[in-house]
Amino acid sequence: MMATLQQECPKLTELDAPLKPVNGELYTVYYDKDSSWYRVTIAGTVSTEMVSVYFCDYGDLALFATKDLRPVPAKAPLARSLPPQAIKARLYDVWPLHQDWTVEDCIRFQELCVEQQFVGICKDVGKDPLNPSEPLLTLDLIDTSTDEDIYLNKQLESEGRARLGPAS
């Protein structure tokens, strides 16, 4: 699929960009940092010229100019039919101390997770509240690289970054 996108998307021009991208719709975009085309869905509209996109096969979010979007090429049927390969997930039984996670909490979570291997136990498969047509996994993530297993939700709570228990 990715090889086909790299061949077919450069044939599209700015004239092919959607005039009014639709939230949740599938498009492609060229990502300068690695010189590749990717499938994206519209996560939100920032302005008439900017949109927030979700890299549906990787799970990343980014901002792009509307003029940078392209339709999924007709000559890329797999790219049109393949479901998103990234699945959204949340940690089991853990909640931010306040209304939302702080920037520092998010950075700490990344420090604990990036380039690490975990055992994941799926506790629930629900619907993403922002996009009910997509699944949302609830996972217990366990770092088993040391003599004592480290549950990420309990680690965040012990650091005073989160609380355990049901949503309030």
Side-chain angles (χ1 to χ4, degrees):
M1 174 193 72
M2 289 299 289
T4 304
L5 288 180
Q6 305 322 304
Q7 288 177 322
E8 297 301 323
C9 288
K11 298 174 185 174
L12 301 170
T13 70
E14 197 173 306
L15 295 174
D16 296 302
L19 295 176
K20 292 184 179 180
V22 177
N23 281 3
E25 287 293 314
L26 186 66
Y27 298 95
T28 61
V29 72
Y30 184 75
Y31 188 57
D32 284 332
K33 291 186 179 168
D34 67 1
S35 304
S36 296
W37 288 89
Y38 292 95
R39 297 190 315 162
V40 297
T41 57
I42 304 302
T45 302
V46 177
S47 70
T48 55
E49 288 101 25
M50 294 292 292
V51 289
S52 171
V53 301
Y54 174 65
F55 288 80
C56 60
D57 298 316
Y58 295 90
D60 298 320
L61 289 167
L63 291 177
F64 279 91
T66 304
K67 66 180 179 62
D68 294 337
L69 297 172
R70 301 291 183 270
V72 179
K75 290 186 177 181
L78 184 59
R80 290 172 167 255
S81 62
L82 187 69
Q85 299 301 290
I87 299 174
K88 293 179 184 174
R90 67 170 310 281
L91 275 179
Y92 172 69
D93 200 31
V94 67
W95 303 95
L97 291 176
H98 307 289
Q99 192 73 8
D100 204 355
W101 299 102
T102 66
V103 172
E104 293 80 13
D105 294 338
C106 293
I107 290 170
R108 178 60 178 146
F109 180 75
Q110 283 187 326
E111 289 170 355
L112 291 168
C113 294
V114 173
E115 302 296 325
Q116 301 296 323
Q117 293 186 9
F118 293 94
V119 170
I121 300 172
C122 184
K123 297 289 196 168
D124 184 46
V125 179
K127 294 182 186 294
D128 179 0
L130 299 176
N131 190 349
S133 65
E134 294 181 11
L136 176 69
L137 300 183
T138 300
L139 301 173
D140 234 345
L141 289 180
I142 308 155
D143 180 351
T144 59
S145 64
T146 62
D147 289 341
E148 187 174 327
D149 291 351
I150 300 168
Y151 286 72
L152 251 59
N153 56 356
K154 292 176 182 167
Q155 178 70 32
L156 292 170
E157 189 229 6
S158 72
E159 293 179 8
R161 298 181 180 280
R163 64 178 176 76
L164 300 179
S168 57

